[in-house]
Amino acid sequence: MIEKQLRRRGITDERVLAAMAAVPREEFIRAELRARAYEDSPLPIGEEQTISQPYIVAAMTSALRLTGTERVLEVGAGCGYQSAVLSLLAAEVFAVEFRASLARATSERLERLGYCNIHVHCGDGTLGLPEFGPYSAILAAAAAPSVPPPLIAQLADGGRLILPIGGAEEQELRLIEKSADRLSTRVLEPCRFVPLTGRYGWRQTSSR
């Protein structure tokens, strides 16, 4: 995974590569899919959600340029894999998951695996977690129609926000940086994520 999927596709941050190597991806995969844990593809985790492919996890994490001192907000905790990677690169990770069953299972999994600096919350991730902000970095692991204003408000000066923006079929990964209350935006690459549910995301349907 590290050599063929990450280095060959331009991931050069050695701290990110080390974190990806250290987190046992198979622990975050459903039992019947564990043999596919290190494939270069997303995999289902239940409730129509997925664990992102290793490359996109590494690319998003690298874009945040973490040094180890940051307080990070993750929107869309899913199975907790991205949270675990972030936790090895930052001081604290606050993860929000919309679906209560996933939030409970993820919290239990991360505790069992010994990730003590991750705090999992169940709620509307598009609203962030203002009570614990501001955040030096924010990562959204689901696609929104536009940038949720609360996430911008909770981003610290000098902070970085990475998230996918777009519809169900076409999305782009954007990196937003905040400096003196001014924002700069850079499009990194095309991507495809599950929809972000919440007030500033997509409306929840009966099947989700």
Side-chain angles (χ1 to χ4, degrees):
M1 178 187 77
I2 299 298
E3 297 302 323
K4 295 181 179 180
Q5 298 177 37
L6 306 185
R7 288 190 191 276
R8 288 186 185 179
R9 294 182 69 179
I11 304 299
T12 59
D13 187 321
E14 292 297 332
R15 293 183 69 245
V16 172
L17 292 170
M20 295 285 291
V23 176
R25 187 171 164 90
E26 67 275 7
E27 293 287 349
F28 299 84
I29 304 290
R30 290 157 55 178
E32 66 272 23
L33 297 175
R34 284 191 171 185
R36 301 176 56 193
Y38 293 92
E39 287 184 4
D40 186 24
S41 63
L43 294 170
I45 60 171
E47 299 209 29
E48 298 185 9
Q49 303 302 294
T50 61
I51 179 175
S52 296
Q53 71 188 98
Y55 167 73
I56 204 70
V57 172
M60 294 180 77
T61 305
S62 295
L64 294 178
R65 305 193 305 274
L66 300 173
T67 65
T69 62
E70 296 87 357
R71 175 173 292 191
V72 179
L73 173 66
E74 182 193 8
V75 176
C79 64
Y81 178 70
Q82 175 76 76
S83 306
V85 172
L86 291 169
S87 76
L88 300 182
L89 300 164
E92 283 188 289
V93 177
F94 292 85
V96 190
E97 171 53 50
F98 187 82
R99 293 155 183 80
S101 61
L102 279 181
R104 284 193 301 271
T106 293
S107 181
E108 292 169 1
R109 179 182 301 112
L110 292 168
E111 183 177 357
R112 173 174 58 82
L113 294 173
Y115 295 99
C116 300
N117 62 337
I118 305 174
H119 316 282
V120 180
H121 297 259
C122 181
D124 183 347
T126 71
L127 302 179
L129 289 172
E131 61 269 37
F132 301 110
Y135 303 95
S136 301
I138 300 176
L139 182 152
S146 59
V147 182
L151 301 186
I152 294 294
Q154 292 167 44
L155 191 63
D157 187 41
R160 295 164 295 282
L161 163 64
I162 190 164
L163 77 168
I165 295 292
E169 299 300 325
E170 294 186 6
Q171 302 160 11
E172 57 186 24
L173 196 58
R174 296 187 192 178
L175 176 65
I176 299 170
E177 300 190 56
K178 188 176 188 180
S179 179
D181 291 326
R182 299 184 65 179
L183 301 176
S184 62
T185 302
R186 182 158 54 102
V187 176
L188 301 184
E189 58 185 287
C191 60
R192 186 168 183 177
F193 282 77
V194 295
L196 179 62
T197 302
R199 180 176 175 184
Y200 294 98
W202 299 101
R203 183 174 300 175
Q204 186 182 24
T205 65
S206 58
S207 64
R208 300 181 44 161

